[in-house]
DNA sequence: ACATATTGTTTAGGTGCAAAACATTATATG
DNA sequence: CATATAATGTTTTGCACCTAAACAATATGT
């Protein structure tokens, strides 16, 4: 029986690597998300789409992919799936016959609201180890990282 | 000509989602890493292995996979590749004939040191937008998140 | 001695993402 | 107007990453 957590490993080359720590932390929150709503058949990526379309109805696929900073080719299968779940729909744009305007179905709206509550609750149940205001500070720093990309 | 960054999108459902922000921030640091050493044929995952074996020579594949919190089946192809690059080598363990002990080759040691410098430099060049001590605070919070997994 | 566990491995599968090419349609430029 | 250029959705291909299940070889516990 080895004493488990003190696993005697020297992490010194990774100890200060933000890339590594962010990846590990994200894996943790991926689990938090999955625990909250994997049963619903929704992944973090799909939730992001629902969250954007919920508050921005009528956006094109390209606009959503731009908002989430993923390639527009990744939208196709994602929207196909959400459309198959009958929570989103593509309507032909009248101004631009190339593109679709995305809307949540009534079912999709309540679905997204329920999902949002579950995700919020799941994350909130996972803040017991954080100091007062630490979460807000973390969000702010992460936002600065995300915004800083062009500047580098 | 649309005024670019103020893209008029309502992110209110994602604004406070740590899972989402961590994912976005990690993508940024993935780019930082790639810029630093994609030319070397090294991915973040492979760098993690090199970093662990560098300071912990003789570890088994399972021990490394445990240290990095990935499945041990994922080690096989990774070590195969690193062995093909002649930076790591598998030596038969004498105590346990099932397992290999992993060691960096001399070439692998200097390679890892050079890589580490590049990654460090790449991350450091990307901290101009951070306040004094903000990076340390971020690392500490991320560590707490990573450690908190069992507690939840 | 025998049941159980562990190691490395293979196979299969799933996810997320990006690059490239394509037809269709818009837009800008001559 | 005509023509070049760009944008949209799509498909295909490929990479990185990760897991689960099964297997033979070997260790370990009872």
């Amino acid at each position: 029986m080895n004493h488990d957590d003190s696993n005697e490993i020297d992490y010194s080359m990774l100890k200060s690597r933000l890339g590594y720590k962010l990846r590990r932390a994200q894996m943790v929150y991926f689990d938090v998300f999955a625990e909250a709503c994997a049963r619903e058949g929704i992944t973090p990526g799909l939730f992001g789409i629902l969250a954007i379309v919920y508050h921005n109805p009528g956006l094109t696929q390209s606009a959503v992919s731009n908002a989430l900073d993923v390639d527009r080719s990744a939208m196709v299968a994602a929207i196909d799936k959400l459309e198959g779940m009958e929570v989103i729909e593509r309507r032909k744009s009248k101004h631009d016959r190339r593109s679709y305007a995305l809307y949540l179905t009534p079912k999709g709206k309540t679905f997204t609201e329920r999902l949002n509550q579950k995700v919020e609750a799941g994350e909130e149940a996972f803040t017991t180890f954080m100091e007062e205001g630490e979460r807000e500070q973390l969000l702010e720093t992460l936002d600065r990282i995300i915004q800083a990309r062009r500047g580098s």
Side-chain angles (χ1 to χ4, degrees), chain A residues 14-31 137-146:
Chain A
L14 297 173
K15 211 91 186 171
S16 301
R17 294 282 68 73
L18 275 178
Y20 172 72
K21 298 292 186 179
L22 284 168
R23 189 156 60 104
R24 294 290 301 263
Q26 191 227 330
M27 286 170 66
V28 172
Y29 270 89
F30 185 90
D31 288 349
Q137 174 60 43
L138 174 57
L139 280 171
E140 196 195 325
T141 301
L142 294 177
D143 274 332
R144 200 120 25 85
I145 290 171
I146 295 164

Side-chain angles (χ1 to χ4, degrees), chain A residues 71-89:
Chain A
D71 196 273
R72 67 185 197 278
S73 65
M75 282 294 115
V76 182
I79 304 294
D80 282 352
K81 181 165 184 178
L82 294 173
E83 215 173 18
M85 294 172 71
E86 296 179 346
V87 293
I88 216 169
E89 65 181 21

Side-chain angles (χ1 to χ4, degrees), chain A residues 83-127:
Chain A
E83 215 173 18
M85 294 172 71
E86 296 179 346
V87 293
I88 216 169
E89 65 181 21
R90 288 185 243 233
R91 299 186 198 159
K92 290 179 185 173
S93 169
K94 301 200 169 184
H95 314 294
D96 188 334
R97 293 191 304 180
R98 294 170 300 181
S99 61
Y100 296 108
L102 299 176
Y103 294 91
L104 295 188
T105 64
K107 177 183 172 185
K109 288 181 188 174
T110 61
F111 181 71
T112 301
E113 287 160 4
R114 190 161 50 82
L115 232 50
N116 187 45
Q117 285 176 358
K118 282 199 177 187
V119 176
E120 270 185 347
E123 282 200 4
E124 185 166 359
F126 196 66
T127 48

Side-chain angles (χ1 to χ4, degrees), chain A residues 5-86:
Chain A
D5 36 39
S6 76
N7 53 6
E8 295 294 354
I9 294 219
D10 183 349
Y11 283 92
S12 54
M13 209 175 268
L14 297 173
K15 211 91 186 171
S16 301
R17 294 282 68 73
L18 275 178
Y20 172 72
K21 298 292 186 179
L22 284 168
R23 189 156 60 104
R24 294 290 301 263
Q26 191 227 330
M27 286 170 66
V28 172
Y29 270 89
F30 185 90
D31 288 349
V32 170
F33 183 94
E35 204 167 316
C37 59
R39 281 285 169 77
E40 316 279 357
I42 291 295
T43 62
L46 294 178
F47 178 74
I49 296 174
L50 292 175
I52 293 294
V53 177
Y54 183 91
H55 285 292
N56 306 270
L59 247 49
T60 66
Q61 292 182 193
S62 286
V64 173
S65 76
N66 190 49
L68 296 172
D69 201 40
V70 298
D71 196 273
R72 67 185 197 278
S73 65
M75 282 294 115
V76 182
I79 304 294
D80 282 352
K81 181 165 184 178
L82 294 173
E83 215 173 18
M85 294 172 71
E86 296 179 346

